[in-house]
Amino acid sequence: MTPLDPTPRRGDAGDGLGARLPRIDGRAKVRGAASYALDHPVEGVAHAVIVQSTIPAGRVRTIDTRAASAAPGVLLVLTPDSTPPLRAASTWTGEAPTQPEYRPLEHTIRYTGQQIAAVVAETLEQATEAAALLRVAYDREPAVAGMDDPAAGEGNPLPPLAIERGDAALAFAGAPVRLTAEYRTPREYQMPIEPHGLIARWEGDALTIWEHSQWLDGMARTYAEWFGIPFEKVRLISPYIGGGFGSKALALAHGALAALAARQLGRPVKLALTRPQTFTAFGGRAATRQVLELGATAEGRLLAIRQRGCNETSVDGVWIEPLSSVTALMYDLPNFSSQQHLVPVNTVLPFAKRAPGENPSAFGLECAMDELAYAVGVDPLALRLRNHAERDPQSGKPWSTRRLREAFAAGAEAFGWARRRMAPGSLREGRLLIGWGMAAGTYPVRRSPGEAMVRVLADGTVEVASSTSDMGTGAYTILAQTAAAVFSVPLAQVRVRLGDSSLPRAPVTGGSQMAGLMTGAVDKAARAAREELIGLALTDPRSPLRGVANTLAVEHGHLVPPRGEAPPLPIGALLTALGRDRIEALRDTLSENGLTPEDRYRAFTTVSSMRPPTDGDYSMHSWCAHFVEVAVDEALRSIRLRRIVTAFDAGRLYNPKLAESQIKGGIIMGIGQALLEGGMIDPRQARVLNNNLADYLLPTNADVPSIEVISVGEPDPHASALGGKGVGELGIVGVAPAIANAVFHATGKRVRELPITMADLV
Amino acid sequence: MPSVTTLLTLSINGQDHVFEAEGRTTLLDALREQLHLTGTKKGCDQGQCGACTVHLDGERVLSCLTLACQAEGRAVTTIEGLAGPDGALHAVQTAFLEEDAFQCGFCTPGQIMSAVACIREGHAGSEAEIREYMAGNLCRCGAYPHIVAAVRRAAEGLA
Ligand code: FES
Ligand code: FES
């Protein structure tokens, strides 16, 4: 269940943080032995299938369930009429519910693909067949298909997001060089390869849920509130997650339904969304639109940026995709004005996808900087250096660390950028038009408290436990490395348990904060356990080392008197002498984050105590620079990537091998965003037309060129206890504009709407 | 219409399994739901992602597009059957570990089954060829460059 069988290795101090070690959960994964949510064998499980609305707005008038109920194996049919309400849960941001009840099935329809019914049967095949037998009658109302629907209007202003710095209108009006352009990004979907699903089982009033989770404690809280049971009565189990990218942080409506069905039937229920259902059962990235006006000197020094943007949200609620997040701080910019509207449409409420905000923000800004480079005739990299911000222009605070210049230099050197000729179309190989483009990216350092238990056993094994999760980030491995470093033991001697809400608390694995905060919590707990061991060794009457020395070191799993007063004593031998089977320490980092023990529950089950990057004396961010080469076929207009070099500053890397993998993964998702991905919305039914993996295109192996990543970071003592900054989201930020800029360099054609396809180049 | 089940005998990883299944049951659902061989993953159930790749008589197939009854009389190999009886990993599994050819690991059983077949088919001659012949297996974590490296390494080791 958890990786108790790490690859045996010869260990030494080289197993600590910073080592390029393979994943300790890797062996289970390559053997097919890692159990994901729906892999858990649960006795007597029934299968649920959900049914989604086929109209975008209106009401479910009736659902005729007769044929479905009579179908073989059917145990239960849930419809808005037959489904009792649950209690409303507070939000993930920690706000109390506005209504007393929550209905996972409603008569009111707000978007196509909203869940309206479920069928539970003995087998998956029977449930699927019966679900198709439901006859739904609707009363249809007019809908707004998307933000370009004329009925959508301008949307609602969002005053808290507005920024006025200096006088952007005046500075723009007087600028020698001015350019205005509109940039657009479509709906994009997270599409982890593991589709969403869960198994729910009740035993009395205790609920066990096997469900992929980026946030065990937050999701367990939601289930507890829905069903009116104490938090401790919910156990969420998620040792492995088949990718999340933001989509697996919340308990969702189908989860409520599975748990409800299980309670009603008195037996466990497994519910798996189909791949098409994953396009509307939860939100992807909101579509965005922004107009940027850049004013600059003739040399390309920025004088002003005015930004007017909007993002889609649902008629169902508010989702903000902050378009100014990179624009406000990337460059030395004296005058900045930004306003953003939210446009409610009939869609599922959008949610977080890798780098929400930073991603579309950087697409606009970094394309516009390329346009400015051409407007003033300055190399795009030189233009960025010319506008380098020495401190955060928005908060006025100094950067904690910002090795962006170093990233530019290292990336440009590895790529050979100096050989680039400015003119579009100046590079050619036969019928291929070659283009070189670059762009920068950034992602903030977010901080929340963490909690971990570290235990030393008599056989010398070190155990680490926390409810945080590893969705491919490498959490198992880096947390093992953290503990291995404190006790100076080989990695094979460390066991890590994660992904279980009954373990010590952890906040959301999102916002690229997990590695920084959890290595801090594990380090603290491990040091506490080590201190206790040393204390016992020095003072306990049964200790062979009592009275031998007045301090001890811990090296290679031994307690070592500093001047060789006695031979090193294995930790396990000390425990045996003490008659104990373990020493353990549970520690949290609440106080380091300005919180008290009373804040504990709220801090781990909501995001209300997550600290922004400028909380404190510094402005803290990760940085990156992407350099890409594309080849556009002159006749076919097909676009192929040929190589990518990315240099990045994410502070100290706890395991460079795994961090580099994650950066590459972000880059590859950025390739999809640039060239392949976009929800196609049917304007009549407000429906996602391409709701499957053959029509909503993800990058395949054949789409991805060689990618070189270079870390230029150094430890950032302000960002986290052990010096790392965020990695997970950084890699995607700036990829799409770098590719768009390369396409311009190849073809002379400026495409400002994603994804860029052949059709844009004809 | 009552569901009609028949008794099927499937040879999986060298072992015979006898179980009741409906004619419409896919090989993927039979493996996962009835035989509890959950190493094979369902990523789409539509033949679009490759997560469910297994071998039938040594050739790669998508088990979500194969009916369980179609596999009767043929040798089914899944990720669970790849390592040796002593637990020793297959060369491709080892190469995936060493090259960090996965992150979340969900696509990995399918990638590995495809990779074994890709090498056996003689389609691992160059990086470009590997990319093309591994393109049916999606990886949303974006482990592709490392998958290519792992397939190369394993192909060289097996040559
Ligand atoms: S599950 Fe079979 S191809 Fe996706
Ligand atoms: S490793 Fe996550 S999808 Fe491939």
Side-chain angles (χ1 to χ4, degrees), chain A residues 491-673:
Chain A
L491 203 61
Q493 223 166 301
V494 183
R495 281 185 273 188
V496 182
R497 285 193 66 202
L498 305 177
D500 184 329
S501 66
S502 67
L503 297 174
R505 308 264 73 89
V508 65
T509 298
S512 298
Q513 65 169 358
M514 182 281 298
L517 76 94
M518 287 312 303
T519 52
V522 169
D523 182 67
K524 186 174 177 182
R527 285 174 190 278
R530 188 178 67 178
E531 287 318 304
E532 188 178 347
L533 268 179
I534 292 173
L536 287 168
L538 291 172
T539 59
D540 193 286
R542 290 162 297 180
S543 164
L545 292 176
R546 183 175 180 231
V548 168
N550 44 19
T551 65
L552 292 168
V554 174
E555 284 166 19
H556 304 288
H558 290 67
L559 293 143
V560 185
R563 282 180 295 278
E565 297 93 327
L569 181 68
I571 290 172
L574 173 69
L575 289 181
T576 309
L578 297 178
R580 297 189 49 169
D581 62 351
R582 67 183 61 185
I583 296 284
E584 63 185 29
L586 173 69
R587 289 292 182 279
D588 64 56
T589 57
L590 289 165
S591 63
E592 288 88 330
N593 288 277
L595 299 164
T596 67
E598 291 68 51
D599 297 320
R600 184 168 178 269
Y601 181 70
R602 180 179 60 88
F604 294 124
T605 62
T606 75
V607 295
S608 58
S609 46
M610 188 188 266
R611 293 157 70 201
T614 50
D615 183 34
D617 296 334
Y618 298 93
S619 181
M620 304 191 273
H621 308 262
S622 293
W623 307 96
C624 64
H626 306 285
F627 297 83
V628 311
E629 177 177 318
V630 300
V632 178
D633 186 295
E634 193 172 26
L636 298 173
R637 312 314 277 179
S638 56
I639 309 165
R640 300 283 297 166
L641 281 155
R642 303 233 296 189
R643 60 195 180 103
I644 298 181
V645 175
T646 294
F648 66 102
D649 164 19
R652 177 189 188 190
L653 302 183
Y654 304 121
N655 181 328
K657 184 183 179 96
L658 309 191
E660 288 165 12
S661 287
Q662 228 186 345
I663 292 284
K664 287 181 194 172
I667 293 166
I668 291 167
M669 199 175 273
I671 293 173
Q673 176 183 34

Side-chain angles (χ1 to χ4, degrees), chain A residues 238-304:
Chain A
S238 176
Y240 292 99
I241 309 171
F245 316 113
S247 71
K248 290 175 177 168
L250 303 184
L252 298 163
H254 65 270
L257 216 50
L260 191 73
R263 193 175 63 175
Q264 223 159 304
L265 285 172
R267 67 186 272 191
V269 167
K270 180 188 271 199
L271 190 157
L273 295 181
T274 66
R275 178 55 69 180
Q277 287 174 341
T278 65
F279 283 77
T280 57
F282 50 88
R285 193 194 305 285
T288 74
R289 196 167 66 199
Q290 56 177 313
V291 174
L292 289 179
E293 294 176 317
L294 266 60
T297 66
E299 296 75 40
R301 290 266 335 185
L302 284 169
L303 296 171

Side-chain angles (χ1 to χ4, degrees), chain A residues 458-472:
Chain A
D459 67 359
T461 304
V462 177
E463 287 185 348
V464 176
S466 168
S467 69
T468 194
S469 61
D470 187 336
M471 51 181 166

